Amino acid sequence: MNATSDRVAARAARAVDSEPAMRGKSAPARLGLFRYSPLLLLILIVIADGGQRADPDLWGHLRFGQAALASGRLAPVDSYSYTAAGAPWRNHEWLTEVIMAFAYDHLGVVGLKIWKLLCVAATIIFLAAGLAETGAPPAYQFNILTIAAVALTPQMEFRPQLYTFAFFAAMLALLGRHLRRGRAPLWVTVPLMALWANLHGGFIIGCVTLAAYAGAVAIVDLRDGAGLGRGQRLGGLALAALAATLANPYGVGIWRTVLRALRNPATRRAVNDWHPLAFAIMEQWRANHAGVVYFLCAIGLIAATAIAFAMTPRAGDFPLAVIAAIMSVAAFVAVRNLPLAVIACAAPLAGHAASLVGRGGADDPARSGVNPWIAGAAALALAWYAGILSDRIPMDIPYPAGAVGFMRRHSLRGNILNDFGWGEYLIWHMEPGSKVFIDGRYDTVYSYALINHYLAFRFALPGAQKVIDGWPHDFVMIAPETPPFPLMNRDRAWKLIFLDGDAALFARANGSAAGVTPQIDPALEPKPGYFP
């Protein structure tokens, strides 16, 4: 074979998907944690699942899922509020809510905990699979995954986003296998995206990830003189995955809903998850110093990945490093993206750290020296301590249990101008007799204008009085320490009929509810609450 044909054959070989992206390097030894010590991996799953508290949207997710199961269809319009009644409702989390409701209806709180544990376990296992593809020593993998598990704990809540974490980790594990081995069943990403689009709005992350991977691979191939063949095929896969997201009850409408939420200018003021990372850290520091540890673990992973990449830029994983960089930037923009950055940084950090010290995993023992009985006992003890084995879910914030009980005892029903974080709690406990002003469905149901009206009321801004006077509220239920409380107390059109340490309930002074005997005890601190 002459030199020309040699070059043609080499270029053709580089173009096929089966060639390793790390050209010129043999595939590293792949000793993963699942084989090295499955019980150590179980401990990390338990750590990541340690956040056992009821999120404000948990009540709504279950109620909406139960309604879908009972009726056999998705509600096309809102029926839970009096401010958006009849408005179109594209529920981009419908399938997760059905799954959660099914688990709760059949197994109660235990069913919810099993569902959450399985989602968390999937995330950690897929993360471990991605780490194994780097060929880094098991000790490196374990240490990095331990820090990642701790960093992920606060975001591993009873929420649909659990599927985004698991699917994102699975996608990165597939891409890592494709990058390092040169072959992987990437076709799986197409049905995965179709399923993802019905589980959580974070499916957009999957589209971004596939597009970034295709673009980065194309750049590497162009640099190496391999042409655009592989990049084009990966781009075609990304487009097929994008098209698969349309396999949902709302078609392209699901994209309109997600993009509308991303564009909402009020989101970063109203929703804690959307606060910039620096602001979220300051808030956490004021609330509880210890909680900053989770942020430090995540930021440490991001910083270590950047440093390791800068010191060993030619470790052969440029496409994965690009994805990690995108997610890291997104994390600083909005704290809800921090878990995605942690998941994306884990494998690149392991690979670059191993390259930095010039070690692979070939000389490491095939099994951990940790006694499996001790590891199993530690996992069980941690699960008990974290409440994973309990049949109760503590509430994460104070909820108006006393005010709701007062309304029930006096058969009070009507439209409630409520605190945003209590909306779905009230839907669970008070519908169908009462409707809410706003709830955690946020801009999937409510207009930007109405959200801004609520913010004006919530922070007692100019226009707050117009919100009080301009809507057909029957009751106002707010926390006593919030800015609108003095405003309501001064308004003679309203009467305070209930007050405890968690909630204040006002009724219209000229309404029948104002005639009930008030229960005013601001010093009363309700007992710790548990779902439901």
Side-chain angles (χ1 to χ4, degrees), residues 199-461:
L199 291 165
H200 184 241
F203 69 86
I204 192 172
I205 297 299
C207 295
V208 170
T209 298
L210 290 174
Y213 185 75
V217 167
I219 290 172
V220 171
D221 284 355
L222 281 174
R223 182 197 66 189
D224 294 346
L228 288 173
R230 208 158 54 116
Q232 289 173 341
R233 285 188 287 277
L234 289 170
L237 177 72
L239 289 175
L242 175 66
T245 65
L246 302 180
N248 69 82
Y250 311 105
V252 72
I254 203 79
W255 275 91
R256 296 195 190 101
T257 298
V258 173
L259 294 177
R260 184 174 184 271
L262 293 174
R263 291 196 303 264
N264 189 346
T267 297
R268 288 185 185 154
R269 286 187 294 159
V271 184
N272 291 340
D273 275 0
W274 287 95
H275 287 166
L277 179 58
F279 184 76
I281 292 173
M282 290 188 293
E283 282 187 318
Q284 181 61 61
W285 180 259
R286 286 194 292 266
N288 181 3
H289 293 356
V292 175
V293 170
Y294 302 110
F295 289 109
L296 293 179
C297 287
I299 293 171
L301 274 179
I302 295 171
T305 303
I307 294 169
F309 182 82
M311 297 180 71
T312 57
R314 294 187 175 275
D317 65 348
F318 176 71
L320 297 183
V322 168
I323 296 169
I326 292 172
M327 298 305 158
S328 297
V329 171
F332 282 91
V333 173
V335 70
R336 70 179 291 126
N337 297 319
L338 193 60
L340 301 175
V342 169
I343 293 169
C345 285
L349 175 56
H352 284 267
S355 296
L356 191 61
V357 297
R359 285 195 60 197
D363 299 328
D364 288 280
R367 301 286 295 180
S368 169
V370 177
N371 186 302
W373 291 102
I374 294 177
L380 190 63
L382 279 173
W384 177 83
Y385 178 77
I388 296 172
L389 304 180
S390 167
D391 61 353
R392 297 195 299 182
I393 303 176
M395 295 182 183
D396 61 334
I397 61 173
Y399 289 90
V404 166
F406 179 83
M407 291 186 70
R408 285 179 163 178
R409 287 194 301 274
H410 294 280
S411 301
L412 302 179
R413 300 180 182 86
N415 296 334
I416 305 172
L417 173 55
N418 59 285
D419 185 278
F420 174 75
W422 295 346
E424 296 189 12
Y425 177 90
L426 292 175
I427 288 173
W428 174 272
H429 287 284
M430 301 298 292
E431 71 98 22
S434 296
K435 307 292 183 182
V436 298
F437 185 89
I438 195 169
D439 67 87
R441 291 171 299 163
Y442 200 52
D443 44 21
T444 64
V445 169
Y446 301 100
S447 68
Y448 290 168
L450 186 129
I451 291 170
N452 285 326
H453 287 321
Y454 168 75
L455 292 176
F457 169 76
R458 173 62 178 79
F459 296 104
L461 302 174

Side-chain angles (χ1 to χ4, degrees), residues 481-493:
E481 72 278 4
T482 53
F485 180 76
L487 188 66
M488 293 300 305
N489 243 352
R490 293 192 301 267
D491 195 327
R492 294 187 177 182

